[in-house]
Amino acid sequence: MSTLAHTMMTAARSADSGLAGPGELDRYPYAEAPAGERAALRSWEGSDVDLGRVSRRGSASRGRGLHGQLVQQLGQMIVSGDLGADRPLVPEEIGQRFEVSRTVVRESLRVLEAKGLVSARPNVGTRVRPVSDWNLLDPDIIEWRAFGPQREDQRRELGELRWTIEPLAARLAAGHGREDIQQRLGDMVEIMGHAVGQGDTITCSRADAEFHSLLIQAAGNRMLEHLSGIVSAALQVSGGPVTGCDRPSEASLGHHARIVDALASGDAAGAEAAMRQLLVVHPEVEHVVPAPREH
């Protein structure tokens, strides 16, 4: 096994255990909260039914600090509909319910405002915004939708979006000749193959995510590269990667390898076709778009 594969497997297992890997930073880098606030956040409780639902994915908050945990909890409640549009969010009430300071609440609401989930206006206060105002391309919102009532819609929409983005990226990447990225893509295929043989779905998933991110980088289109976070989110939500490391197959690995071979030979059409074949390996994508026609 290569050193690269060993490194990725070690990192994947560390992440799965909830421990931060090398260079891994808190997602929301605010100042650390006072000692009295370092306990896990309480869920909103009481007579208000809408505010009584607890976070659906406690593990998603690991390592994020109090600000990140509150963002996670409130974000899930908004996206799931527990907190409906135009619902007022009173900072003092949030602080009391979760037993956190006004600073933590204020900074958390700022993060949610940046994502388009809430708005704060003078004399009106902070309110939940309608879905049409949300930044639906934000990786956190993609995750929250994927684990809420809109799960099936989110998976379908991600599949449709990927069908548009990734074949184009593969075609463009074949014309750029980035040998460093091509080598890295080949490494990811090797790691995935070894991980599948070992039954290591964690490493397989992480190598798969890096493969697709690298491919978009190789396209040489900055606007496409800006969308790489969407693909990464798609590979991580709803219980497993969209390209099948949760149900690994030789077909999936073969399509990854054919993409690498097409890039190495500068075969743009071949790279695009291989990517489309890879995307329809997974049933959630196959029912969205037709398989490529045989000529």
Side-chain angles (χ1 to χ4, degrees), residues 59-172:
S59 62
S61 301
R62 288 183 300 193
R64 295 188 178 184
L66 275 184
H67 298 92
Q69 291 180 49
L70 186 55
V71 167
Q72 180 81 7
Q73 188 114 357
L74 293 177
Q76 287 179 329
M77 295 174 75
I78 292 170
V79 170
S80 68
D82 291 350
L83 296 175
D86 288 330
R87 176 66 182 264
L89 298 177
V90 182
E92 291 77 11
E93 181 183 356
I94 296 174
Q96 290 175 359
R97 300 291 184 118
F98 287 102
E99 299 183 10
V100 295
S101 70
R102 293 177 62 183
T103 300
V104 171
V105 174
R106 183 171 60 251
E107 296 299 331
S108 299
L109 290 177
R110 285 178 180 172
V111 173
L112 294 175
E113 185 174 16
K115 296 177 184 295
L117 294 179
V118 304
S119 62
R121 297 178 181 176
N123 302 321
V124 175
T126 301
R127 292 182 175 271
V128 176
R129 300 172 71 174
V131 177
S132 58
D133 292 341
W134 299 355
N135 178 8
L136 296 178
L137 301 183
D138 183 282
D140 279 332
I141 295 180
I142 289 174
E143 176 183 315
W144 296 334
R145 291 185 73 207
F147 286 92
Q150 304 169 34
R151 172 174 178 165
E152 293 305 316
D153 286 342
Q154 180 67 96
R155 287 179 65 87
R156 174 182 55 79
E157 290 167 4
L158 283 172
E160 291 170 347
L161 193 57
R162 292 189 64 202
W163 182 260
T164 301
I165 294 173
E166 294 194 76
L168 173 61
R171 170 179 284 275
L172 293 176

Side-chain angles (χ1 to χ4, degrees), residues 6 30 42 57 60 70 74 94 98 100-101 130 160 164 174 188 212 216-217 242 251 256 280 290:
H6 181 270
Y30 300 108
R42 276 68 169 174
R57 298 184 68 223
L70 186 55
L74 293 177
I94 296 174
F98 287 102
V100 295
S101 70
E160 291 170 347
T164 301
M188 293 304 106
H212 290 270
I216 292 176
Q217 292 178 37
V242 175
H256 281 88
V280 299

Side-chain angles (χ1 to χ4, degrees), residues 162-163 166-168 170-171 211-212 215 243 251-263 267-281 292:
R162 292 189 64 202
W163 182 260
E166 294 194 76
L168 173 61
R171 170 179 284 275
F211 179 95
H212 290 270
L215 185 65
T243 51
S252 175
L253 290 174
H255 292 319
H256 281 88
R258 278 190 283 278
I259 292 171
V260 174
D261 291 341
L263 295 181
D267 181 2
E272 179 179 4
M275 176 56 74
R276 292 194 184 279
Q277 290 169 347
L278 173 60
L279 289 176
V280 299
V281 165

